[in-house]
Amino acid sequence: MSTVSLAQFHQTFFDESREGLDAMETALLALDGGGDTELVHSIFRAAHSIKGGAATFGFPDMAAFTHEAESLLDELRDGRRAIDAGIVELLLRSVDCLRGMFVRAQSGEALADAHSEQLRQELAAAVGREAPAKPSVVKRAETGASAWRIRFTPHRGMLASGNEPLRMFRELAELGELKVEPALGQLPALAALEPSDCHLGWTIELRGKASRAAIAAVFEWVEDECDLSIEELVEVAPEPTAVAAPVAVATPRTSREVAAESSSVRVGIDKIDSLIDLVGELVITQSMLDTFREGFDANRIELLQQGLAQLARHTRSLQESVMGIRMLPIASVFNRFPRMVRDLSQKLGKQVKLELIGEQTELDKTVLEKIGDPLVHLVRNAIDHGLETPDRRRTAGKGDTGTLRLEASHRGGSIVVEISDDGAGLNREAIVAKALQRGLISSGEGMSDEAVAELIFQPGFSTAATTTDLSGRGVGMDVVRRNVVDLGGNVAIRSVAGQGSIFTITLPLTLAIIDGLTAMVGEEHYIVPLASIVESVQLRGDALRTVTGGGELFRFRDSWLPIVRLRDAFGCDGVRADIEHGLVIVVEGEGTHVGLFVDALIGQQQAVVKSLEANYRRVVGISGATILADGSVALIVDVAGLIRQQGRRRVAA
Amino acid sequence: MGGKAKPPTASAATTRVMLPADCRIADLPAVKAELQAALSTASAELDASAVERVDTAALQLLAVFRREAASKGLAVAWVGASAALRDAAALLGLAHTLELPAATPA
Amino acid sequence: MAKILAVDDSASMRGMVAFTLRGAGHDVSEAENGQLAVDAAKGSRFDLVLADVNMPVMDGISMVRELRTLPEYKGVPILMLTTESHTDRKMEGKAAGATGWLVKPFDPDQLLATVKRVLG
C-alpha cells in the first residue's frame, strides 16, 4: 500500500488544469480565425496533461473524456484531419464540459453525467469510431513452463541508452534460477573498443515456473535494441497462471478525499529570487548596523545614517516585492471574454470585434478574483445595449462590425480598466424617462449629460425595453459600482450619443497596503485613505452653517458640504473641539463629498491593512486597522461606508 | 567522490591499475587508457577493492583486457575485488573469464 | 539514495513524482521542460532522469537526444513518462536514446517499483 496520498496534489492539478483549459480555449478561438500548427500543439499538450493528471490522480471519467478529445486533437496535429468550424465548436464545448467536471471534482461529486457522456460519444464519432462504453483490458491466459532458454544479444548502443543487462538479469533471477553463459566472440581488441558499445551476448537458462510474458516483460524496453529469443526447454502441461493485473487502472479513491479548497498563488521563480536577494541585502545592512552595538563614537554618525537609509530602502523594496507576489496578470480575467463575446454576439446577431490590451497588467490576487463579475456585466451590457446590429450600424453610417475594447493599464498608484465600445452610446431620453418613472428624479431639465449618465448607477435602474436573457440577470449597474467600490475603486462612464461609451474602472494596486493620512480624534488615531481625500482645510467660523435636524454644513469652493464629526461618528472620549481649532478633511465617496472633522493631522503614511472583522467584528464606517510605529492601533476609515451611514441617519432624523 | 582512475603506478615491470569507486560507462575512457598502458608492461595488477558501482560496460572492458593480456603472455593478478564487482561478474557469467579469485564464502 | 531529475510541465505530476521519490529517500530536482532539464543536467550528475514527453519549449524526446550527447549521460537511465496510446512517441523516445518508459497513469507504488528496478 502506498504511503503517499494523491489527494495532496489535487489542488495543484485543478489549478493547472483550469489554466490549461483557459489556454485551450484561447488557442481554439485563435484557430477559429485560421490557425497554425503551434496552436494545435499547445491545445494538444493541455488536453494531454489533463488526461494524464486525471488518470493519475484518480478521475477516470475525466481521463476517459479527455482521451477522446485528445484522439481528435492528435488527428488535427498530424494533419490527418483539417480543422473546421464544427471541430472547433465541438472542442470548445468539450472545454466547457471539462470545466464542469473540475467544479464537480472539487466538491467530490461524480464527474460524468448524461451531458458529458453524450459529448464523449460525439468526440469519438468525430474521430470515426465508437467510444468504448467502459474501458476493458483483455488478457489472454498464459501458459507457464518450468525451464526456458533465452538468447540475448544486445545491439551496440543498448548500454549507452541506460539499459543495463545486470538489471535485467537480476529481474530474471527473481523468476527462477539462472545459468548465464556469455558469448565473447564479438569482443574487439582493446584499442578498438569503444567502452560504451556492447559486444557481448548471452545464453541464459532459467529454471522456475515463469510465464513467457513475465520473461518478455524484463526485455520490454529493449525490444528494438537487441536480438532476443525465448524458448521453452521442457514441455509441461500448460496450466493457466494468475493473470497479471490489468495495466494501469487508477487507484480508486477509497474514502472521499476531497482536496481542501485553500487559496494559493503560483509565484514565478524570478520573484522569489529577487526576494531572496533583498533579504540578503537586509542581512548585510543589519550586520553593518550591528557594529554600532559595540560602541558608538560621533565621527561614525555618517555611517549610521547611511546604514539607516539603506535599511529604509531595502525594507521598501522588500515590501514591494512581497506585494508583488500577490500580483497576477489580468489576462486570467480577460481570457474569458473572447469566448463570451463570441457566444453573445452570435446569439444577438451582432458582429463584434474584441480588442484586449494590457493583458499583462498585474493586479492584486484578491482584486483580480473580485473584478471578474463586474467586468463580465459591463461587457455583456456593452454587447447587449451598446453595440448595434449590423443593420442599425449601416444606417448610422458605421461598419457592420462593432468594436469592443478592454484595456488595462497602470496609472500612478492605480489600475485602470476601460471597457469601451463604438456603439450607440447612452440614450439620454430613455434614461431620463426611466428615472422619472422610477422616481429617481423629478425632472430631467437642466441635468448635465454626466449627471444623466450617473443615473444608470442608481439601484434598480435598467434601460432595456425588454429584459433579455443576457443582461436580465438581476444585476444592475448599481451592483457593479458597489462591487468596485468595495474593492476601494470606482466606476465612471463617458458616453457620446452615436459614438459609443467608455466605462472606466479605477482600482487600487493592492488591498493589503493603503496610503493614508493619519488624523487624531481625541486620544485616538484614525487613518483616512488618501485615494478618497480631496483636500484638507482649516475652517473659519463663518464658513459653517447649522441646518435643521442638527446637521452641519461648511462652505467648500462653491458648494455647501455636510460635516461628519468623527468624534461623534465613532463615539470618542475627550473634549469636543471647536470647529475653528480642528481640521476638515474633504473626502469623496458614494458620488458625493463630505467633510470629516478631526482634531489634528499627524501626517501621511502607508498602512498595512489588518482585518478588523477577523480580529474583532465588523464596524460600520471602519474598513480595517493598522499598527502604528509606536505599537498602538489606528483604525482605517471606510469613507463610503461612513457616508452611507450618515445618509441613513439624516433620513431617519 | 567517485574518483578518477589514478595514473598507473609503475614499479619496475609491474603496473597496478586502480579501478575507481564509480566504475561505470561514463568513467571508462580513463580506465581504458590505463589498461592500454598496462598492456605494454611485463605484468599487471588490478585493484578493484574500491569499486562500489560497476556496470556491464566496465566488465566488458575488463574481459577484453584479460583476453588480450593472456594472448600477449602478460601476467595479470587481482590484488583486490570488491563484492560489487564479484556480484556483477557472477551475474553476467564473466567471473571465469575475468579469472576473479574465488569469493571467500560468507 | 539516488540523485533524480523529474521533468514535467505539469506541476501536479512533477509534484507527485518528486514527493514520492523524496519520501523514498531520494534527492530529487525538478525541471519544467526539456531545456531546463538539460541545463540542470549539465550542472549536476543525476543517476536517473524521469521526463514527460509533451512539454513546451523543449519536449522530452529532444531532451533525451541532447542529454545523450553529453559524455557523462552515457548509460544514465532516462525514462519517459508516457501514455499507453502513444506507442510511436515511445519508439521515438527510444530512438533518441531513452532507456525505457513508465506508462501514465501510474501511482506512487508503480513509480517506486520502476525506479527501484532501474537503479538496481
Side-chain angles (χ1 to χ4, degrees), chain A residues 389-444:
Chain A
T389 56
D391 289 353
R392 287 237 187 126
R393 288 185 68 86
R394 247 172 275 142
T395 316
K398 302 192 220 178
D400 285 9
T401 305
T403 303
L404 177 63
R405 174 207 280 254
L406 266 71
E407 181 171 5
S409 60
H410 279 263
R411 242 175 250 176
S414 305
I415 301 284
V416 176
V417 185
E418 280 190 353
I419 299 96
S420 54
D421 65 69
D422 64 348
L426 290 183
N427 182 337
R428 187 189 160 104
E429 281 70 44
I431 292 170
V432 169
K434 176 67 86 176
L436 284 170
Q437 183 199 327
R438 294 273 156 131
L440 295 171
I441 50 170
S442 49
S443 155

Side-chain angles (χ1 to χ4, degrees), chain A residues 597-612:
Chain A
F597 180 69
V598 299
D599 295 349
L601 291 183
I602 307 293
Q604 200 174 317
Q605 76 163 90
Q606 280 205 321
V608 177
V609 181
K610 308 268 181 197
S611 163
L612 203 57

Side-chain angles (χ1 to χ4, degrees), chain A residues 12-29:
Chain A
T12 315
F13 170 57
F14 295 156
D15 288 349
E16 78 192 3
S17 297
R18 265 192 287 266
E19 282 172 31
L21 287 171
D22 289 350
M24 268 174 90
E25 183 170 77
T26 308
L28 282 167
L29 291 168

Side-chain angles (χ1 to χ4, degrees), chain A residues 84 109 116 164 168 206 251 255 288 296 317 323 425 445 479:
Chain A
D84 60 39
E109 295 167 43
S116 73
E164 181 49 62
M168 301 174 208
L206 188 154
T251 343
S255 60
M288 195 266 256
F296 182 76
S317 310
M323 289 305 148
E445 292 279 310
V479 178

Side-chain angles (χ1 to χ4, degrees), chain A residues 30 85 295 330 360 503 508 514 558 638 652:
Chain A
I330 200 168
Q360 291 313 310
F503 285 87
I514 59 158
D558 293 329
D638 168 13

Side-chain angles (χ1 to χ4, degrees), chain B:
Chain B
M1 298 289 104
K4 294 277 177 233
K6 300 214 169 53
T9 19
S11 69
T14 301
T15 306
R16 177 178 291 191
V17 178
M18 175 91 179
L19 299 175
D22 190 348
C23 194
R24 291 184 296 172
I25 199 161
D27 295 294
L28 295 182
V31 178
K32 181 191 161 188
E34 276 191 69
L35 292 173
Q36 262 182 297
L39 271 185
S40 52
T41 56
S43 69
E45 288 177 349
L46 292 177
D47 184 352
S49 54
V51 173
E52 287 166 18
R53 314 181 79 168
V54 64
D55 61 9
T56 304
L59 293 168
Q60 175 182 253
L61 177 63
L62 289 170
V64 169
F65 171 72
R66 288 300 307 223
R67 201 188 54 170
E68 208 152 316
S71 72
K72 286 190 173 180
L74 175 76
V76 177
W78 288 98
V79 294
S82 68
L85 183 96
R86 285 170 194 283
D87 291 350
L91 200 53
L92 294 179
L94 291 170
H96 178 70
T97 311
L98 294 176
E99 291 175 54
L100 277 168
T104 39

Side-chain angles (χ1 to χ4, degrees), chain A residues 10-11 24 35 135 191-192 196 224 226 245 250 267 299 343 347 354 356 358 394 468 538 565 592:
Chain A
H10 285 174
Q11 194 56 46
M24 268 174 90
S196 60
D224 289 356
C226 70
V267 184
N299 55 29
D343 291 348
K347 209 168 198 168
L354 177 68
L356 298 175
R394 247 172 275 142
T468 66
Q538 183 121 37
R565 290 179 185 253
T592 168

Side-chain angles (χ1 to χ4, degrees), chain A residues 3-4, chain C residues 17-26 28 112:
Chain A
T3 49
V4 179
Chain C
V17 168
F19 184 86
T20 305
L21 295 175
R22 282 186 190 123
H26 295 296
V28 185
L112 287 175

